[in-house]
Amino acid sequence: MSDPLVDRLRAAGCVFAEEEAALLRGAAGGAAELERLAARRETGEPLEHVVGWARFLGLRVAVGPGVFVPRPRTELLGARALHLVRDLAPGAVVVELCCGAGALALAVALAAPHLEVHAADVDPGALAWARRNLEPVGAAVHEGDLWRALPGRLRGRVDLLLADAPYVPTDEVRLMPAEARLHEPRVALDGGGDGLDVHRRLLAGAPAWLAPGARLLLETGASQADADLALARAAGLAARVLRDEDLDATCLEATAP
């Protein structure tokens, strides 16, 4: 027998209509709320915004209107971060810049509660979600532009820096799916002319904030990896590119001298 909710979602263009219908039903407290949630999804609002969470590295990260939705591809960076934190001493400092909802910082804080975890973003709307995710696990959240957001006492003390900073070229933002283009903050998507404006500033400032031997993990695009590699090396960092074809994910890993 046909499922009316599945049929509605499929007609709205939802490729995984059956799975989405199950998630919507799980998020709704009753028939009236289910109708409201289904109507929001039909208009093209991201499913994660509608149900209130996104799955990331097996976690439920709280998200909603006004925040970037963590992507599956960022799990390459996240998995590498979880591997690296195993070797960090108690009290070591981990920072997520351009944190959005704070998915990376949340994964680290839960896996390694002995570390000092910070997250920062320039967007107040995104930070409301970051605080919701991170304050319960003891991570600090800061508002500001890249390094300027961080307390001065962290200068030269960051042992692991994580960032999924925007890297979509300005002219390509219009080509993104409507879910992202219309419902996520432009500041979380638009990386400037070649997509690397934020990356340039982040990598140039990194040496002053990283502790000796610290690691930096930065998500990037496959076509931009070589440029990011050159930027990291120009900043005095040893660097390499990580790639996962299954996730279609690319990440720069850099090490401070």
Side-chain angles (χ1 to χ4, degrees):
M1 181 178 293
S2 175
D3 182 330
L5 179 56
V6 171
D7 292 341
R8 286 175 61 184
L9 295 172
R10 188 173 289 119
C14 300
V15 176
F16 303 104
E18 291 85 356
E19 292 87 342
E20 293 199 13
L23 289 169
L24 290 171
R25 288 189 169 107
E33 186 178 8
L34 178 60
E35 175 58 33
R36 288 194 295 272
L37 297 181
R40 288 173 60 189
R41 182 61 181 136
E42 283 180 297
T43 66
E45 190 172 345
L47 176 68
E48 295 84 357
H49 284 181
V50 175
V51 300
W53 59 274
R55 194 183 308 281
F56 184 76
L57 289 174
L59 304 173
R60 284 194 176 196
V61 180
V63 296
V67 71
F68 179 84
V69 175
R71 306 296 202 254
R73 71 172 67 93
T74 308
E75 292 191 352
L76 169 63
L77 191 161
R80 180 60 178 159
L82 294 183
H83 175 79
L84 292 173
V85 298
R86 295 185 302 185
D87 295 328
L88 293 180
V93 175
V94 179
V95 171
E96 180 184 5
L97 293 181
C98 304
C99 70
L104 292 166
L106 177 64
V108 168
L110 289 173
H114 60 287
L115 302 180
E116 181 181 341
V117 180
H118 297 259
D121 201 291
V122 72
D123 181 6
L127 287 175
W129 292 99
R131 292 189 180 96
R132 180 172 174 177
N133 286 309
L134 297 175
E135 289 180 350
V137 297
V141 178
H142 311 280
E143 181 178 345
D145 183 27
L146 296 179
W147 306 105
R148 288 199 289 269
L150 301 181
R153 68 178 182 82
L154 297 183
R155 192 176 184 89
R157 293 187 52 226
V158 177
D159 298 288
L160 178 62
L161 185 284
L162 313 173
D164 179 12
Y167 56 88
V168 179
T170 300
D171 288 345
E172 295 181 20
V173 173
R174 61 185 175 82
L175 305 177
M176 297 184 72
E179 289 185 14
R181 179 169 38 84
L182 301 179
H183 295 280
E184 294 180 319
R186 178 83 179 213
V187 69
L189 306 173
D190 191 342
D194 62 355
L196 299 179
D197 283 1
V198 180
H199 289 202
R200 285 189 184 88
R201 295 192 295 117
L202 189 154
L203 290 167
W209 289 86
L210 297 179
R215 302 290 184 91
L216 179 156
L217 298 174
L218 174 65
E219 184 172 308
T220 188
S223 63
Q224 296 153 310
D226 287 344
D228 267 329
L229 199 61
L231 289 169
R233 289 171 176 167
L237 306 173
R240 64 173 181 150
V241 173
L242 308 178
R243 176 72 185 163
D244 186 312
E245 297 296 337
D246 292 335
L247 292 174
D248 189 23
T250 307
C251 176
L252 177 81
E253 178 174 344
T255 305

